[in-house]
Every structure is written in structure tokens, then in C-alpha cells.
Amino acid sequence: MQPDIKWLDDPQVFRVGQLPAHSDHKIYGNEEELEQKESSLCQSLNGTWQFAYSVNPQARPEDFYKTDYNAEGFGEIQVPCHIEMAGYDKIHYINTLYPWEGKVYRRPAYALGADRTEAGSFSEADYNPVGSYRKVFDLAEGLRGKRVCIRFEGVEQAVYVWLNGQFVGYAEDSFTPSEFDLTPYIKDENNLLAVEVYKNSTAAYLEDQDFFRFSGIYRDVVLYAKPRLHVEDVWAKPCLTEDLRTGNLDVQLQISSEDAEAEGRVRIILKDQDGQVIEEQNAAAASEVKVAFEPVKAVVLWENKNPYLYKLIVLLEDKQGNVTEAASCDIGFRRIEIKDKVILFNGRRLIINGVNRHEWSAEGGRCITMQDMEWDIECFKRNHINAVRTCHYPDQIAWYDLCDRNGIYMMSETNLESHGSWQKFIPEPSWNVPGSVPEWKEVVVDRARTNFETFKNHPSILFWSLGNESYVGDNIEAMQAFFKEKDSSRLVHYEGVIYDRAYEDTVSEVESRMYATPDEIVEYLENEPKKPFILCEYMHDMGNSIGGMKSYIDLLDRFEMYQGGFIWDYIDQAVYAQDKVTGNKVLCYGGDFDDRPSNYEFSGNGIVFADRTEKPAIQEVKYYYGLHE
């Protein structure tokens, strides 16, 4: 298998040699490691890497991945980190337009006809920055002698990977993990990992979110080892019966073996929050294991005020009964459904006191820390925010764990936003993607699949969202069909169906609007509405705004089918930089970096500043959200 730079131009090529997406369960070498939450099967590759920046593909060091390459001219970069935040390239904020608009004429491949491949759009571009990364490492003891894989938790935007001079694979989708099997080429010592990151590819058409345009390895890089038997995937399906007192649990495992003789057994244990064993199931280890637990009586429900979690533990044992791998994930029993056109959560009407939240740090951009995320959770709780929409992409895995533990209801959004392809002064979708263009179907369904497979066990997720501001069409419809086929326990959300009501019955289970006025909400709900109503974005918080929130909150008492919404948005996007006049460190917004085209201070819509100082507007949020907890 040889890499091809032309993959950057083809929406039909988005994963080569990449492992299938799977659940984000934790793995450990034994039960003791699980208790201590320290795994001998994992090794971080975060830290200092060798790095070279090139302004376009033609200028990149093509042979940098070879073991005999002389990298003396390379500099250094920290991983994780955006390339732009490390002083390379340029910082650029833009909202609806694509970042090359007004400079380069481009249209998405195939969008204007099957013969319009737009070859060379990105692979031959004069401006398409490339980051060439090199990392030399030795395997940790716990990984030696085992199958070894690598997980990139976030790379923006297209990535080629080599190990010890051998091509391993290619991936797109900047916001979900990309994993590759390194086993055929791994050594115990002196491994050379080479990673080539391109700022733009056809994925850029699908990742046109309202944010700063960054690139690079900006989330963790982790090696993990698979023992002779390994839990590849856990699909825990807790179901709360209609009496809201009994919990049923089905568990489906995928187990891989190093060889045909790798016999063993699997123990699946359910514990309550106090660590007491509720039930244990045993089975022979096989490629697929399915078990059904006895109904859990007097189950404790997971909800905002009492986010009760049960722990599911999977132990793999060899023929002698020794534990060779332990896996775990937290689960919760809760029920979301639509009855009489009202969304019910655990039998009661759901009211969403929500915010849209970009991942953001004034110091690191979208490269954020656990401390940032924990601060956000505490901010939510003290201001009566009970729900979050992951606008407009999947977040770090740790955020989902925090929402589980703190009872934050989540709308888990797929990495899709293509408003630059249709959102003009008047919607003009003549070259909209993904739309109904056949060549763009698989890439967006794959993004839905990765979102689902990675996060499917998290009780905090009540809605799967198909993406944001991408119009509508057959390919969006196919994404909805995927989610409903896989997971009937959650609702599916999408706002763009309002632009073409032909898809009203097959896309989105809720009526979702952006910035509808109170009168428009009333008009919908008083005229034979088909679906419950959610505002996926409202109360656009630029400057010292949030005025008029009362007019929306009052509707909660008038209409049961009105279920609240998500404020746009939670945190300003601004970057610390040195003021050219005073020399002081200041917060800089779009346009402050001579970035063009730009939407300037439009990057500042949060109820908290980029340095996580609360704005005066948050007092209004706290008061009104506190009325309907």
C-alpha cells in the first residue's frame, strides 16, 4: 500500500488502513490496574516532536518519513498543539465563508456533476500548509510482545502516518479518534513515527464550523497494546422499563485474538456506585459475545440532579484463569422518548437549559486541558445549565465522562458543517455538499458511524445530532437512517430540514430552529405541529446581550411541546497575544491577526470570556434557567 497525495482531492477517500471505530472503554492489564486507573497497556506519545512547516505540498520534505532521512533542519513542536499556536502559519477566524474565498476559486468535487472531480484542488494548491512530524520512541515494557496500535485523538485535518519507513494509513475527520495497527512494523526500541498533516483537503468542505481555522496534532497521541485476547468493542444497552423502576441490560462484546489457539473466558460484572456486585455473567471468549443480565430491581435512575452510574467490568482470562485484560465503562439507566409529541425524560417532560459549547482555551485554542473542562462543568452547575450541544463536532473523550458524572444532558453532534456551500444572503444550494451528491454519501455516514461507535455507552447523550447548517438532502437522510438502525434508545436531531420539508418525516425527530422569535415558536406550536420544538441556537450572545430571555422562558409554561434550547454560545473564541503598542497580553478576536476574510469580533459570542471570566450576561442565564430546573 502506497500513499497518494491525490487523496486530498477526493471525498471518496477518507480512511485508508484505519481501524474501525469502537467504544471508548478503558483497558488495563489486570484488576489491580483497573482499581488504580493506571494501565500498563497504554503509553502516551505526548511531548516534544521534531517538526518542519511547509506552506504547500510541493515544498514539503517528501522523504522525511524514511529512517535514513537527515532531519537536522527540523525544529521542534509540542504535541498536542495547534501548528498556528506554535508560531507557524497564520491564525485565521472565519464563520460561514470558506477560508480561501476571494482568493482561490474552488467548488467541491462532483457537486456540479460527476465529471467535475476538481483534481488538484488541495494536492497542488499554492497555499495548503503541511506539518511534518517525527517522533523517536521506545516501547514501554507493558506493550512489548503484544499487538500495538496507535490512537490519534484529534488531528486537523488530513493525516498520513508511517512507522519505521513503512506507510501505515491515512485519515480524515478532525474531531474523532483515528487508530492504526502498528504491529507489523513495531520494534521494542528506536521506533520512528512520522506523521504528515495537511491543513486542507476535501474534508474542509465538511468542517466549515464557525471557528478559528487551525491544523496539526491538537489532542493526545496514545499507543495501546492488545494482549492475546482483547476487548475491541463494548456495546452496553441499558433499558429502563416503562415502570421506571426496573433496568434491563444487554451487553455485546467484540473480542479479537492474537491467534486461533488463544482460548479463554470472559467475565462480565455489573457493580453499583458503591462497588457492590449486582450480577456476573460468564462466557467462552469468542469474536462476538452477547449476554443479557437479569433485570435490576429498584434501579437508581441517571438524571441531572442524581447522575447515578453503574460500572460495567469485562475481564478476559486465559486457560489458567489469570486475568490478562480488564476493561470498564460507566453506564446509566435512563429513558428518553416522545409521547403525545412531548419529549419525556424518565417519564417527565424534558426542559433543556442548554448552551452550545466550542472547545476553547485562550492559551491553547481547541487544545484544552482537563482543568478547563472541569471549570466548565462547575460553571454549568452554579448557573443552572443542564444541557450542552457539542457544537459542531465531537469533543475530547474526557468531556463525555465529565457529563456522565455530573448529569449534563448532551446533544452529541457529528462533525459536519458545510454552510459555506449554500448559505448566502438567500440559501442557494446549487453546489451544496453533502446534499444528495452520491460521492459525498459515505464520508458523512462514516462520520455519523464514528460519532456513534465511539460514544455509544455514555448515558449523558440523549440526542445524536447529524451536524449543523449543512442544508438537507439524501445524504443527511442516510445519516439519520444509520442512527435509528443502530440506536433506538436516543432521539436524532437536525435543524436544516426547515429548508426542504420534503425530508420532514425522515430527518430529525424534533422541530429544531435557530434564532426563531417567540412569535414564530407560537405560530408553529398553535398550528398542528408534528414534532416537539427545540431551539438548537438562540439568545445570540454578542457583547453584553441576553436581553429578552424572559420572552422565551415564558413559553415553557404555555406549551408543553416547547422544550427549551441551547444558548449561542458558551465561551468566546479569542486568543492571547501581545499588544503591539503596550506589550501587554490581551485577548485578540477574529481580524486581529490580519486574517482575511474574517468575521472579526463575531468569534466572541460567549456568556464567559475566553479566559473563563464570567460575563454580566450569565446572571440573566442563571436567573431564568433557575426557574425550570
Side-chain angles (χ1 to χ4, degrees):
M1 177 174 56
Q2 295 298 317
D4 188 344
I5 196 171
K6 299 297 185 183
W7 293 341
L8 299 174
D9 307 321
D10 190 350
Q12 298 173 102
V13 181
F14 48 87
R15 54 164 66 231
V16 178
Q18 191 180 352
L19 296 173
H22 59 80
S23 58
D24 63 352
H25 62 278
K26 313 298 190 296
I27 61 168
Y28 303 89
N30 52 50
E31 290 176 274
E32 291 72 28
E33 291 182 6
L34 187 152
E35 290 295 326
Q36 297 169 7
K37 297 183 179 179
E38 294 184 2
S39 178
S40 63
L41 299 178
C42 298
Q43 176 183 349
S44 173
L45 291 185
N46 290 354
T48 303
W49 292 45
Q50 293 178 304
F51 180 77
Y53 170 80
S54 307
V55 70
N56 59 39
Q58 293 71 42
R60 79 194 193 281
E62 289 191 51
D63 296 334
F64 84 110
Y65 65 89
K66 294 181 178 179
T67 55
D68 60 354
Y69 182 82
N70 184 351
E72 288 184 1
F74 275 49
E76 292 183 343
I77 196 170
Q78 292 300 303
V79 169
C81 180
H82 299 298
I83 288 173
E84 295 77 4
M85 297 296 281
Y88 302 93
D89 193 23
K90 54 189 177 184
I91 295 175
H92 187 185
Y93 165 72
I94 188 67
N95 180 14
T96 57
L97 293 176
Y98 289 110
W100 55 79
E101 300 278 15
K103 302 174 183 178
V104 178
Y105 176 85
R106 286 195 183 115
R107 292 294 180 267
Y110 306 106
L112 297 177
D115 60 332
R116 291 289 298 273
T117 64
E118 308 297 327
S121 288
F122 300 103
S123 63
E124 300 172 14
D126 291 334
Y127 174 78
N128 185 9
V130 186
S132 301
Y133 294 77
R134 287 165 54 101
K135 178 75 169 179
V136 177
F137 67 92
D138 297 336
L139 270 185
E141 284 296 328
L143 283 72
R144 297 186 180 189
K146 301 179 178 70
R147 296 170 288 164
V148 177
C149 299
I150 190 168
R151 178 172 68 247
F152 296 91
E153 296 193 358
V155 182
E156 201 170 3
Q157 179 178 81
V159 56
Y160 294 79
V161 181
W162 293 261
L163 181 68
N164 295 325
Q166 303 298 314
F167 179 63
V168 175
Y170 172 81
E172 295 176 8
D173 192 343
S174 301
F175 297 97
T176 53
S178 297
E179 298 188 2
F180 302 93
D181 185 2
L182 303 182
T183 308
Y185 315 118
I186 199 78
K187 303 183 296 184
D188 287 348
E189 297 179 341
N190 200 36
N191 292 283
L192 172 63
L193 177 65
V195 180
E196 197 172 64
V197 179
Y198 290 82
K199 186 163 187 172
N200 289 319
S201 69
T202 52
Y205 288 110
L206 306 177
E207 297 181 7
D208 190 38
Q209 286 91 341
D210 173 10
F211 60 17
F212 281 82
R213 307 308 168 102
F214 291 132
S215 62
I217 306 173
Y218 72 99
R219 289 182 183 166
D220 293 343
V221 182
V222 180
L223 298 173
Y224 68 93
K226 300 179 181 182
R228 208 167 178 203
L229 289 171
H230 170 68
V231 180
E232 295 282 354
D233 186 74
V234 179
W235 185 193
K237 294 180 270 189
C239 176
L240 188 61
T241 57
E242 286 198 32
D243 65 9
L244 305 178
R245 301 164 80 179
T246 304
N248 296 320
L249 176 62
D250 293 333
V251 177
Q252 183 174 317
L253 306 176
Q254 292 180 14
I255 298 174
S256 66
S257 59
E258 189 175 58
D259 54 64
E261 298 178 1
E263 298 178 12
R265 293 191 62 78
V266 56
R267 292 165 53 201
I268 309 171
I269 303 164
L270 182 65
K271 291 184 178 182
D272 65 18
Q273 196 156 275
D274 297 323
Q276 298 299 310
V277 175
I278 297 174
E279 188 181 346
E280 178 176 329
Q281 295 274 358
N282 295 273
S287 59
E288 188 171 290
V289 175
K290 294 182 180 180
V291 297
F293 282 75
E294 291 293 324
V296 180
K297 304 295 185 182
V299 67
V300 183
L301 306 187
W302 183 94
E303 55 192 5
N304 174 249
K305 293 299 183 183
N306 184 34
Y308 192 95
L309 295 171
Y310 294 81
K311 184 168 289 293
L312 186 71
I313 298 172
V314 179
L315 303 177
L316 293 180
E317 299 176 342
D318 60 21
K319 290 187 290 185
Q320 289 73 40
N322 301 311
V323 174
T324 59
E325 183 177 277
S328 71
C329 66
D330 293 329
I331 64 170
F333 290 92
R334 80 287 183 276
R335 185 183 182 95
I336 184 166
E337 58 191 330
I338 296 176
K339 281 190 174 181
D340 300 322
K341 302 181 183 179
V342 176
I343 302 172
L344 302 181
F345 181 74
N346 291 343
R348 300 188 301 274
R349 175 191 176 209
L350 176 68
I351 294 180
I352 295 170
N353 295 332
V355 292
N356 287 272
R357 174 185 171 273
H358 274 295
E359 290 190 305
W360 193 258
S361 159
E363 296 280 2
R366 285 189 291 279
C367 180
I368 65 174
T369 66
M370 177 60 77
Q371 290 71 32
D372 293 329
M373 292 184 276
E374 289 172 341
W375 192 96
D376 292 345
I377 290 289
E378 290 304 313
C379 180
F380 282 16
K381 293 168 76 171
R382 66 176 171 263
N383 291 293
H384 308 303
I385 296 165
N386 70 2
V388 64
R389 180 180 178 219
T390 67
C391 61
H392 299 290
Y393 44 81
D395 291 343
Q396 281 192 47
I397 290 170
W399 179 248
Y400 298 77
D401 295 331
L402 286 171
C403 288
D404 291 343
R405 294 200 296 268
N406 290 277
I408 304 300
Y409 305 144
M410 181 180 288
M411 179 176 283
S412 181
E413 196 138 84
T414 302
N415 179 21
L416 173 60
E417 180 157 352
S418 65
H419 53 185
S421 71
W422 65 274
Q423 195 175 77
K424 319 301 179 186
F425 291 109
I426 298 173
E428 198 285 289
S430 63
W431 49 275
N432 167 243
V433 289
S436 299
V437 183
E439 292 84 357
W440 289 81
K441 176 182 176 181
E442 289 307 315
V443 63
V444 293
V445 172
D446 183 76
R447 287 171 178 236
R449 181 183 301 110
T450 304
N451 188 16
F452 165 75
E453 294 291 358
T454 306
F455 303 114
K456 57 181 176 272
N457 293 318
H458 289 276
S460 54
I461 298 175
L462 307 188
F463 302 87
W464 297 114
S465 181
L466 305 180
N468 185 66
E469 294 182 329
S470 297
Y471 207 70
V472 73
D474 294 350
N475 296 335
I476 300 284
E477 185 179 59
M479 295 171 71
Q480 160 116 358
F482 168 82
F483 278 121
K484 294 315 296 181
E485 177 188 352
K486 284 288 187 179
D487 187 8
S488 61
S489 70
R490 296 177 173 101
L491 304 181
V492 177
H493 162 273
Y494 187 65
E495 176 263 346
V497 70
I498 65 169
Y499 294 105
D500 189 343
R501 291 292 183 179
Y503 293 91
E504 186 168 21
D505 296 332
T506 55
V507 174
S508 190
E509 295 174 272
V510 297
E511 175 75 8
S512 178
R513 303 268 186 98
M514 289 185 180
Y515 311 110
T517 66
D519 287 345
E520 288 171 333
I521 299 170
V522 170
E523 181 183 3
Y524 174 81
L525 293 174
E526 288 186 339
N527 286 278
E528 300 182 2
K530 283 188 173 184
K531 304 173 184 178
F533 191 104
I534 288 176
L535 285 164
C536 63
E537 295 181 18
Y538 80 125
M539 300 308 303
H540 194 277
D541 187 38
M542 286 203 71
N544 188 22
S545 56
I546 300 289
M549 192 170 179
K550 180 180 186 298
S551 58
Y552 289 96
I553 299 302
D554 286 349
L555 296 179
L556 291 169
D557 295 325
R558 287 183 59 188
F559 300 100
E560 271 205 314
M561 289 176 63
Y562 176 59
Q563 318 251 192
F566 300 87
I567 291 169
W568 186 265
D569 57 2
Y570 169 65
I571 188 167
D572 279 6
Q573 296 179 74
V575 176
Y576 275 133
Q578 188 178 48
D579 185 88
K580 294 177 181 178
V581 176
T582 66
N584 296 331
K585 187 170 74 170
V586 295
L587 288 170
C588 293
Y589 292 75
D592 290 339
F593 304 94
D594 294 327
D595 42 323
R596 304 291 188 274
S598 179
N599 283 89
Y600 304 98
E601 74 280 3
F602 204 74
S603 66
N605 307 320
I607 55 176
V608 302
F609 289 104
D611 63 358
R612 285 180 164 75
T613 301
E614 294 185 359
K615 293 183 180 180
I618 206 168
Q619 298 174 59
E620 196 90 345
V621 175
K622 181 176 183 177
Y623 174 77
Y624 282 112
Y625 275 178
L627 298 177
H628 294 86
E629 285 197 275

